[in-house]
Amino acid sequence: MTEYGRGRGPEPWHPEDPLYGDQGWTGHQTQQGQAPYGGAPQQEYPQEPQQQYQQQYPQQQYAEHPQQAYPQQQYPEYQQPQQYAEQQPAYAPQQHQQHQQHQQHQQQHQQPVYDTEGWDTGQVPYMAAVQADPYVGAEPYAQQPVPGYPGEAPDLYATAEAYPPPRPPGQRHLEPEPVEQEEEEAESGFLAGGGGRDGDDDGGDPAGGGRRGGRSKGGKAKQRSGAACLIATLVIVGVLGGGGYYGYTYIKARFGAPEDYAGEGTGESIDVEIPKGSGLLQMGVILKKAGVVASAQAFADAAAKLPPGKAIQAGVYPLKKKMSAAAVVEVMSDPSKLNVVTVAEGKRNAEVYKLIDAKLGKPEGTTNEIARREAKNMGLPAWAANPKAIDPLEGFLYPARYDLSSDTTPESLLKQMVKNATDKYGEMGIEAKAKELGLENPLQVVTVASLVNAEGKNHDDFRKMAEVVYNRLKKTNDVTNQKLEFDSTYNYIKGKSDINFSLKEARAFEHPYNTHNVKGLPPGPIGNPGADALNATLNPDHGGWMFFVSVDGDKTTFTKTYEEHQKLADEFLARQKQKNGG
C-alpha cells in the first residue's frame, strides 16, 4: 500500500491473509475518494452479456494477475497524464521508462480470461491499463520500496508461495483436509466393534497404498460388526421394553382398578397404629407401608363404602400381612377390634385391671398385683397417699382410650393412666378448690367426684348430685345425721352393681367405705371420675337438694325434704315388688 491507500492491485483471498477481504466480488471500484493514477477518473464500460465474453475469449486459463481479465492488446498504451507529470517532474523519466518496461512485460505474458462461468469479478471491464508489477519474484510480505505510481499496490499472488487466487462465488467452499485412514477407522470404531488400530497385522494391502493398522476387510471386522449390531439391538429392545413397562404401569395406575390382595391375610400378625385426624387415604398409606394392603387407594375405596356413622376410629389395630382391603375395613370398622384399653367414666379399678389383662394376654390378676405392689412407683401426687384406701390407685386411672402396642406392659399402661389423671387434676386446680368446698384435701375432691359419677344417671344429674353430697356432709344435717347413705359405696365393697339389696343388711354392715353405716366420706374414691363429674363437683348446683331417687331406673328425681323423698321411695319399692313378682 502507499500513502494514498490501496491501489488496484489484486485482493488477497485466503482467510489467514492479513489483507483478507471481499471487496473484489461486490462490484466495487477503487476505494471512495482514491482515483487511480494521479486522480484521473477511470473510464467505465457497461457490462456485456456473458455469452459475448465466452465467445470472445473461450477456454482461457487463469493468469497470475486476476485483474487482467482481457487481452492487453485491446487497449491503447497508457500515457501518463500531463497533470501528473507536471506535479512530479523528478520522477517522470524513470516512471515513464518503468511504465514502458511494464507494458512490454505484460504483452509477453498475455493474460487469459477466466470468465467461463459467467460470474462477476467485481472489476470494471475494459480498464484503462494494467500496470507493470515490479515486485514479481520478490517476497510477498517483505519490505518493498515505494512503487513508481501513487496508489499502486504490490501483487501478492505473483509467486508460488503466495496465497492462491480468488475463486468465483459459486465455488467458494472450503475443501476438507484429508483425514488419515486410521482416524476414520477410529471414528467408526463403535459400529465396527473396534477402536482404530488394534494390533491385528494381517499383512499389507498392495492395492490399498500401504494402509496402517493391518485391518483386514473380513474375518474379525465382520465379527465386530455383528457384535455391535447385537449390542445395539439389545439396547433398543431394552429401551422399548422399559418404556412399555412404565407406560403400562402408568395406564394401569391411572385408569385401572387399584391393586389389592385377596383373603384374610397371612398368618403373620402386626399392630398398626392410626393417628388421630387421619383421612382414609392417609390410613391406606400407613397400611400399605406396614404390608397389610396392596395399595392405599384400594383401602380408601373400600372404606368409602361404609355406612354413615360407622367411621373408622384412630387407634391400634391387630391386623395381618397381605389382607384384602375389604377384610381390613371390616376389622377396623368394629370398635371392639381396636387394640386399645378404654377406661369409661366412673369405672372401678378392678374392672380396668381385668380389661388390661385381657388385652395384653396376661393371666387374670396380673395387673391388680402389679398395681398394689408398685403403687408408690406409679407417679401419684403426694396428697394422694392414703393408707386406709382399699386401692391406692383408685380414682387415678383417668378415663380415656389408651392405644396398645407390642411393647406395652401393665406397668407402663398404669403409669400412663396415673400421669393423665394427675395432669388433669392439676389443670383443674383441685388443691385450691378443696378448702373452698369445705373438704380436707384434694383427695376428698376426687372422692366426691367418684360418688357423683357413680350415683348420677347422666351428665345433667351431676351438679345436683354434688349438691346432695355437700348438704349431707354439713354438721347441721339432722335428717341423715351426716351420713351419705349411698348404695354405691356398699356395692363397691361387695364388688357389685346391684340396687336390689336389703337396706337393713347394708346398715348393719360395718366398713369404712359403707356410707350406710358410717358418717362422712369414704376413705378414698370408689371409681375413676370423668371430666364432667369433676367439673360438677367443683361447681355444684346450690339448689338445696337433700334427697334423690330413681323411680324408673333411668331418670333421677331430686327433692329437698324427707317427706317428698319418702313418697317417691315408697313408689319405687312398690314398683320393685311388682317387678320381682312379689
Side-chain angles (χ1 to χ4, degrees), residues 105 127 190 234 243 253 281 283 389 429 477-478 548 582:
H105 177 73
M127 59 186 63
F190 174 74
L234 292 176
L281 192 58
M283 293 181 186
N477 175 18
D478 56 359
F548 64 93

Side-chain angles (χ1 to χ4, degrees), residues 274-288 296 299-300:
I274 302 299
K276 294 181 180 180
S278 300
L280 293 180
L281 192 58
Q282 186 178 358
M283 293 181 186
V285 172
I286 296 173
L287 294 170
K288 174 67 170 59
F299 171 81

Side-chain angles (χ1 to χ4, degrees), residues 252 256-261 288 293-299 325:
K252 182 179 179 182
E259 188 176 359
D260 195 5
Y261 294 127
K288 174 67 170 59
V293 297
S295 64
Q297 190 62 48
F299 171 81

